[in-house]
Amino acid sequence: GRHEEAKELCETSRTHSREIGEPRIEEMSTGNLGLVSPSLGRHEEARDYFEQSMAGLPELPGRAARATVAGNLGGVSRSLGRYEDARDHYGRYLEISREIGNRQGEAIALVNLGALWLRLGDPAQARRILEASLALCRAIGARFPEGFGLRALASLADEEGDAGRARELARASLDLRRKIGHEDGVADSLLFLAEL
């Protein structure tokens, strides 16, 4: 929870790695600056750091890192209300994850894309993607994205006027998030249930 201190340490690491000619550590430090910036309310700054990080990554063998940074760019774009950009970044995250056989990354990308399509006002596309993501999450045991996907499907059911189904999905999300110790997710599911 000491975000300012974390940011200072990442900045020091980035500067030092640049001085000693360690581009891989410099890129990692830049990416970490992108991760800590939203905690400080600096989403635009986070986007800039992630873009710098992406630019510093080699196309090969940096595929896994490129997928992660694309996912991070999707998240910060979504936070900034740039949903079309978020869709493109999450799409890239999904594409690379599939290319390199990263099933966990694929599951996370699908869940994020499904929730985003709901935000973009296409419930049919959201449902199709979210159901595919849940099937994958369950097949590979990806519990964290499964909880998020259940919660997104609860929102979809609520928007469609099916409060009973929304409650059922939100409770499933809550139960799963409690089991895995995802406290922010527990709070999100409880708030959703309270507002139903």
Side-chain angles (χ1 to χ4, degrees):
R2 293 162 32 202
H3 304 294
E4 286 290 349
E5 185 179 344
K7 187 173 189 294
E8 289 173 20
L9 290 168
C10 290
E11 287 170 345
T12 301
S13 173
R14 186 167 90 146
T15 300
H16 184 65
S17 60
R18 187 177 293 150
E19 288 170 357
I20 64 171
E22 287 287 346
R24 189 175 83 70
I25 296 171
E26 180 182 348
E27 180 278 319
M28 287 172 54
S29 299
T30 303
N32 286 337
L33 282 164
L35 291 172
V36 75
S37 293
S39 302
L40 299 168
R42 300 176 186 157
H43 298 281
E44 289 284 352
E45 187 177 279
R47 184 181 52 84
D48 292 342
Y49 283 130
F50 289 137
E51 287 176 352
Q52 290 171 37
S53 178
M54 183 70 85
L57 286 168
E59 189 64 35
L60 292 171
R63 304 290 284 160
R66 291 181 80 76
T68 299
V69 174
N72 289 335
L73 277 165
V76 77
S77 295
R78 185 186 65 228
S79 295
L80 290 167
R82 296 179 182 163
Y83 303 125
E84 302 293 330
D85 289 343
R87 184 194 61 209
D88 294 343
H89 291 304
Y90 285 143
R92 185 74 177 130
Y93 182 26
L94 177 62
E95 176 186 332
I96 296 170
S97 294
R98 284 179 170 162
E99 287 172 4
I100 64 175
N102 179 355
R103 302 285 304 230
Q104 177 87 9
E106 182 180 349
I108 293 167
L110 283 169
V111 167
N112 283 311
L113 276 167
L116 189 62
W117 278 107
L118 181 58
R119 172 94 30 140
L120 289 168
D122 190 338
Q125 179 77 330
R127 178 179 306 287
R128 184 183 67 76
I129 293 172
L130 286 168
E131 287 176 353
S133 74
L134 279 181
L136 177 58
C137 287
R138 289 172 176 157
I140 65 171
R143 309 291 281 174
F144 182 85
E146 181 183 351
F148 185 71
L150 287 166
R151 171 59 179 82
L153 281 169
S155 290
L156 177 59
D158 184 44
E159 284 191 19
E160 293 174 336
D162 189 346
R165 180 77 175 137
R167 227 179 333 277
E168 175 187 327
L169 289 162
R171 283 191 182 120
S173 173
L174 176 62
D175 291 345
L176 177 59
R177 287 168 158 180
R178 279 183 170 149
K179 280 181 192 171
I180 63 173
H182 180 210
E183 293 305 317
D184 289 342
V186 168
D188 171 61
S189 294
L190 284 169
L191 180 61
F192 180 80
L193 282 163
E195 292 176 345
L196 273 179

